Amino acid sequence: MRPPSGRRGRKTIIDTEAPPHGAHRDNHTHRDVNGGWLRPAVFGAMDGLVSNLALMTGVAGGAVSPHTLVITGLAGLAAGAFSMAAGEYTSVASQRELVLAEIEVERRELLGNPQDEEEELADLYVRRGVDPELARQVAGQLSRDPEQALEIHTREELGVDPGDLPSPAVAAVSSFASFALGALLPVLPYLLGAEELWPAVLLALLGLFACGAVVARVTARSWWFSGLRQLALGGTAAGVTYALGTLFGAAVG
């Protein structure tokens, strides 16, 4: 049978009559690929859990008393949490100050050379495939409002949203809380009356598996794979430090 006029010898690439995919038909959404608040919270807890577990198992390898282990764990919790908070505050504050300084540079450019900045914005849209005439029209309309123009230039040139900059205080508090929560797990059995190391290790390993499983929400991995991977990494760190603690304890003793 001869194909319809105008389609002779051509192959249909896309079936325009095919029903749309369910995600597009109902609600086309994507996961937050940046992880949002979940990623830093989980990784902060994981950091506290691994570091304090390794610290406590290392000290336990030296055959110390449960009382000493409790003091060690609480000291590690406090030191690590304050260190994380201070580091996160400094990091976010420095980044914020740099961004604000660059935004101010862009503001001065818009005030001093508005025509050049408008042409720069138009050229950016042209490079993205917009027709040159249409790009100039769009850039002209967007440049009428100075604040809107500043926001657009900041997003396009710096890749940040000037109205949604991170807070150093929020970053510091959240890092402190998440690290402290993770670091508390290996100490908790001792605070509840445990006299041996294994309950602390068991609870910590369960916590590591749970953290890894939660991380799977922002990755393409299965929850059990992420959980087992984190359990293996944390368990290895604890085993190595215990062996070193035993070795050092024997050498010092």
Side-chain angles (χ1 to χ4, degrees):
M1 180 177 178
R2 178 175 297 180
S5 176
R7 291 191 174 183
R8 183 175 302 170
R10 297 173 60 187
K11 182 186 295 184
T12 301
I13 303 300
I14 299 177
D15 183 3
T16 57
E17 299 300 324
H21 188 276
H24 292 264
R25 182 180 62 248
D26 300 326
N27 184 21
H28 183 194
T29 59
H30 292 285
R31 291 181 298 176
D32 181 1
V33 295
N34 293 320
W37 63 268
L38 180 64
R39 183 180 183 278
V42 172
F43 280 97
M46 202 179 296
D47 191 9
L49 183 49
V50 172
S51 61
N52 218 28
L53 173 63
L55 173 63
M56 292 180 64
T57 53
V59 174
V64 299
S65 67
H67 177 74
T68 301
L69 278 180
V70 171
I71 299 301
T72 300
L74 292 177
L77 184 157
F82 279 113
S83 176
M84 284 285 292
E88 194 70 12
Y89 184 92
T90 302
S91 174
V92 174
S94 300
Q95 181 185 14
R96 182 185 177 92
E97 290 165 3
L98 174 60
V99 171
L100 289 175
E102 291 301 313
I103 290 176
E104 191 58 33
V105 170
E106 193 62 34
R107 187 190 301 276
R108 290 197 297 268
E109 286 295 320
L110 284 167
L111 291 175
N113 305 288
Q115 191 60 41
D116 291 343
E117 291 297 306
E118 182 178 324
E119 292 177 1
E120 180 182 344
L121 187 60
D123 289 341
L124 187 147
Y125 291 141
V126 169
R127 289 196 300 271
R128 293 186 176 180
V130 179
D131 180 78
E133 182 61 30
L134 178 58
R136 284 191 290 271
Q137 292 177 10
V138 171
Q141 291 181 3
L142 294 177
S143 299
R144 291 174 183 173
D145 182 351
E147 289 302 317
Q148 177 178 260
L150 176 62
E151 181 178 341
I152 293 172
H153 279 271
T154 301
R155 285 179 174 174
E156 297 292 350
E157 297 180 28
L158 302 180
V160 296
D161 183 352
D164 190 29
L165 297 180
S167 166
V170 171
V173 170
S174 60
S175 293
F176 183 96
S178 59
F179 184 97
L181 181 62
L184 180 62
L185 283 184
V187 187
L188 193 58
Y190 286 101
L191 295 178
L192 296 177
E195 296 290 332
E196 298 181 2
L197 180 63
W198 70 264
V201 173
L202 178 61
L203 182 59
L205 292 179
L206 290 175
L208 285 170
F209 182 86
C211 286
V214 172
V215 168
R217 291 192 58 182
V218 292
T219 67
R221 294 288 188 179
S222 61
W223 64 271
W224 59 267
F225 176 87
S226 296
L228 289 176
R229 178 175 59 184
Q230 193 56 41
L231 188 152
L233 292 173
T236 300
V240 169
T241 54
Y242 183 84
L244 290 175
T246 302
L247 179 64
F248 296 153
V252 172

